Amino acid sequence: MKKSVNWLIEYFSQNSIEFVDIFKTSLPANEKDINRRTAKNLCGIVIPVQGECLFSLNGDKYNLNKNTILHCGSNMKIKVETADLGIEYYVVHYKNIFTPEKFKTIEEESFDLEIEDRLSLLKYCENIIDKSLSPDKYSKFSCKVDFLKLIDALIKNVRTSQYNDKLKL
């Protein structure tokens, strides 16, 4: 299910969220990853580094590739299937602190977002990973700042993609 950039802006501007963690993982070509679930009580953003796969969340199938980002809800069944390329991707978890009524079902939903260029998103993911390795409080604070910059870059990227799609019509 696709979300408009206006919906995305409204969601992230009205919802109070907090960065939790980030990790990078991969699955080789022609493999399956099954019988796992997304993190409980958290939302996740899946950002591909390289490759592609079929990524299923509670049975909803998405083609994850360089131009697709996934938003995952809480405790969802995961199935990842690769073809000839394999996949490497980041998962960024965040917690909803306060969610307006309009967005209460966000942890029960998954959706994909079309983007133009993931390089700015990867830069923030790499920064967050590097800073999260340091135990000091400033690094923890800096991870939160970079997480919000990641969300900002994501929204700008989706907006560019949706605007360019309208120009093609």
Side-chain angles (χ1 to χ4, degrees):
M1 174 168 150
K2 298 255 188 267
K3 300 288 186 184
S4 74
V5 71
N6 291 333
W7 184 94
L8 201 61
I9 291 167
E10 188 177 1
Y11 170 69
F12 282 113
S13 67
Q14 293 182 9
N15 198 23
S16 295
I17 58 175
E18 181 178 282
F19 169 74
V20 175
D21 63 20
I22 185 172
F23 66 89
K24 188 184 209 181
T25 189
S26 62
L27 188 64
N30 302 307
E31 294 283 328
K32 289 183 181 179
D33 182 5
I34 56 175
N35 298 323
R36 288 189 312 116
R37 290 188 165 271
T38 59
K40 192 172 184 176
N41 300 319
L42 299 177
C43 288
I45 301 170
V46 180
I47 303 168
V49 176
Q50 61 185 2
E52 56 187 46
C53 70
L54 184 63
F55 204 106
S56 299
L57 295 159
N58 283 350
D60 294 331
K61 295 180 179 182
Y62 302 97
N63 289 312
L64 185 63
N65 58 53
K66 67 179 184 172
N67 297 109
T68 307
I69 303 297
L70 296 182
H71 185 280
C72 311
S74 169
N75 202 32
M76 298 183 134
K77 288 186 236 173
I78 301 172
K79 181 178 180 183
V80 182
E81 298 176 78
T82 59
D84 295 337
L85 290 178
I87 186 79
E88 181 179 26
Y89 58 92
Y90 286 105
V91 177
V92 183
H93 287 126
Y94 71 91
K95 178 171 45 173
N96 289 303
I97 306 300
F98 171 77
T99 306
E101 193 62 39
K102 179 177 181 176
F103 303 109
K104 285 288 186 193
T105 61
I106 191 71
E107 290 185 13
E108 301 164 15
E109 301 174 10
S110 62
F111 54 89
D112 59 343
L113 299 165
E114 293 297 320
I115 60 167
E116 292 287 314
D117 180 21
R118 71 190 189 291
L119 295 181
S120 63
L121 306 178
L122 296 178
K123 178 187 81 165
Y124 287 117
C125 288
E126 290 165 9
N127 287 346
I128 295 168
I129 287 251
D130 289 345
K131 292 172 184 176
S132 67
L133 297 174
S134 298
D136 63 286
K137 297 205 185 301
Y138 181 76
S139 294
K140 187 175 180 178
F141 168 74
S142 194
C143 285
K144 289 180 178 187
V145 171
D146 282 346
F147 169 70
L148 291 176
K149 288 179 180 179
L150 171 67
I151 297 300
D152 180 58
L154 175 62
I155 290 169
K156 287 176 182 172
N157 216 309
V158 171
R159 182 173 58 191
T160 299
S161 177
Q162 288 183 5
Y163 178 73
N164 287 344
D165 283 349
K166 287 181 182 176
L167 287 179
K168 292 175 188 174
L169 296 176

